[in-house]
Amino acid sequence: ENQSVRTDVVIIGAGPVGLFAVFELGLLDMKAHLVDILDKPGGQCAELYPEKPIYDIPAWPVITGQDLTDRLMEQIAPFKPTFHLGQMAEALERTDDGFWRLTTDIGTVIEAKVVVIAAGGGSFVPKKPSIPGLEAFEGTSVFYAVREMEKFRGKKIVIAGGGDSALDWTINLQPLAKSMHLVHRRDDFRAAPDSVNKMRALVADNKMALDIAAITGLEGENGILRAVHMNSAERGDYVVEADTLLAFYGLTMKLGPIADFGLHLHENLVPVDTEKFETSTPGIFAIGDINYYPGKLKLILSGFHEGALMAQAAFRYVFPDKKLRFQYTTSSSALQDKLGVR
Ligand code: FAD
């Protein structure tokens, strides 16, 4: 993806708060693009607790993290937001004609009048296994995500981990791979039982190997992997031939590149006012878990409110010459037209 687009608002983070901001912006005629390093919308709700019930969303006595995400997606659909998923918002600069230019780690360029930071607890980044010399192979032979399956055709693959990602990719890549090993410390998997059964069936058919072992080292040079060294109680030290290591040890959240956007920070949070939720830089707003102000509560419902007030202020940047009229969705036919419900 190598595109450059101009829009009204770019939102960093497609968590629940970034998603609802699309709605509030949309009611005021502002178009939004969203960037998220995750490959799906929903932020913490979708990534950390999709099946857990939430009990404090107004008017939803109980709703799971994934259901809340799905409902928000349905609610914002009339405004046709553009998603740039699986990419990190990396650099922010000002253009000569008064736009903000946001560049992602894979080269997407979005220019917008307003930037909304809805980055929550920070960007989700992979936890790395502690294997000596690992860094030397990253990006060439060692990966923490699969963006394109074809890249792994004919490879001698070792997958490390015991959760859903490790099991799903083992099953999906096994047919393409020249050889496949799944390595996990215990013979106990925190993944869907169906996936575990499929994996065990592949092992029984000799289509792949399961190593209940620890990875102790990597062998190869110039970033090109040749073998993975392992140790198990049964076999002691042994070597598995491999040119690819995929490690799925879960995700952790880090503030990431936003720290370098030149904004004032307060303990890795972005201070804002409580009238507009604007940062120290005019035209850049921060809403949801990432912001800080006296009395802040890291709750989804607070983030929704912050999005509504942010949109009122963003309007003045996007449409400096237009008058803003307060309207109810219940009684405004103009708003209902935008929502496509009339
Ligand atoms: P997030 O959900 O954190 O989403 C931020 C997104 O921004 C992430 O997807 C991240 O990948 C992305 N991002 C950040 N930086 C970048 C970057 N530079 N480039 C690209 N993408 C980036 N809240 C409640 O109100 N009620 C509850 O009952 C409740 N229960 C919870 C239970 C658990 C187990 C957890 C972990 C949290 C719970 N919360 C609850 C908190 C709630 O999930 C958060 O308040 C909410 O997710 C914040 O939403 P957000 O959109 O601000 O940020």
Side-chain angles (χ1 to χ4, degrees):
E1 192 183 8
N2 223 321
Q3 43 174 279
S4 169
V5 284
R6 280 210 156 178
T7 187
D8 297 326
V9 180
V10 62
I11 303 174
I12 302 173
V17 175
L19 293 179
F20 191 66
V22 171
F23 185 82
E24 291 295 332
L25 291 164
L27 286 181
L28 304 182
D29 292 324
M30 289 173 277
K31 285 252 161 237
H33 282 235
L34 300 99
V35 178
D36 205 301
I37 184 69
L38 290 181
D39 58 7
K40 55 179 181 278
Q44 295 176 46
C45 300
E47 180 61 33
L48 299 180
Y49 59 102
E51 289 173 9
K52 276 206 181 116
I54 311 171
Y55 300 102
D56 59 351
I57 302 298
W60 284 98
V62 54
I63 187 165
T64 66
Q66 189 56 52
D67 282 345
L68 176 68
T69 304
D70 294 345
R71 295 295 181 176
L72 285 166
M73 290 295 282
E74 187 185 329
Q75 191 170 26
I76 68 177
F79 299 114
K80 301 188 173 61
T82 307
F83 287 88
H84 305 271
L85 298 174
Q87 20 192 324
M88 182 79 96
E90 208 166 52
L92 186 65
E93 59 188 346
R94 198 84 172 137
T95 67
D96 294 337
D97 58 345
F99 278 73
W100 291 105
R101 179 186 291 131
L102 183 79
T103 309
T104 75
D105 63 339
I106 61 167
T108 304
V109 179
I110 304 157
E111 293 178 348
K113 279 271 152 113
V114 165
V115 177
V116 175
I117 300 176
S123 53
F124 281 99
V125 290
K127 285 187 200 155
K128 298 181 180 183
S130 54
I131 303 171
L134 182 77
E135 287 76 24
F137 297 96
E138 283 177 350
T140 44
S141 299
V142 172
F143 306 93
Y144 304 104
V146 176
R147 274 186 179 157
E148 205 190 331
M149 278 174 60
E150 268 310 306
K151 199 171 139 183
F152 298 102
R153 182 177 292 278
K155 297 286 187 188
K156 291 175 272 185
I157 304 176
V158 171
I159 291 185
D164 279 311
S165 299
L167 270 291
D168 287 350
W169 286 120
T170 298
I171 294 161
N172 287 324
L173 291 175
Q174 183 277 327
L176 302 184
K178 185 162 182 203
S179 64
M180 173 66 78
H181 283 252
L182 174 65
V183 50
H184 186 45
R185 270 156 301 187
R186 287 162 284 115
D187 197 357
D188 174 27
F189 296 88
R190 288 202 317 163
D194 179 53
S195 309
V196 177
N197 291 340
K198 278 189 184 141
M199 180 273 294
R200 292 203 193 278
L202 290 170
V203 174
D205 284 352
N206 280 322
K207 290 192 168 140
M208 62 165 283
L210 172 61
D211 296 88
I212 305 304
I215 297 180
T216 53
L218 303 178
E219 187 185 316
E221 51 272 320
N222 303 322
I224 308 300
L225 187 67
R226 198 166 47 232
V228 175
H229 292 223
M230 301 194 193
N231 177 279
S232 75
E234 251 172 52
R235 298 173 64 182
D237 289 326
Y238 65 103
V239 176
V240 169
E241 232 186 276
D243 51 25
T244 303
L245 171 65
L246 287 162
F248 298 106
Y249 285 20
L251 300 174
T252 173
M253 297 188 91
K254 284 204 180 126
L255 178 59
I258 290 164
D260 306 321
F261 285 2
L263 302 168
H264 292 167
L265 295 179
H266 170 89
E267 290 171 359
N268 273 347
L269 297 171
V270 183
V272 291
D273 65 73
T274 50
E275 180 194 344
K276 307 186 295 293
F277 299 94
E278 195 164 18
T279 69
S280 57
T281 305
I284 304 184
F285 297 80
I287 57 175
D289 278 15
I290 193 75
N291 75 12
Y292 174 79
Y293 54 85
K296 168 72 181 179
L297 286 178
K298 287 191 184 183
L299 286 177
I300 296 165
L301 72 89
S302 308
F304 290 169
H305 160 79
E306 293 160 13
L309 268 63
M310 171 281 294
Q312 300 281 315
F315 185 90
R316 301 182 197 285
Y317 287 98
V318 176
F319 305 114
D321 303 325
K322 281 199 201 165
K323 254 219 158 78
L324 185 53
R325 258 188 39 217
F326 178 79
Q327 300 180 89
Y328 288 126
T329 55
T330 327
S331 35
S332 158
S333 45
L335 292 185
Q336 289 165 8
D337 282 342
K338 293 175 200 178
L339 292 167
V341 292
R342 212 162 65 95

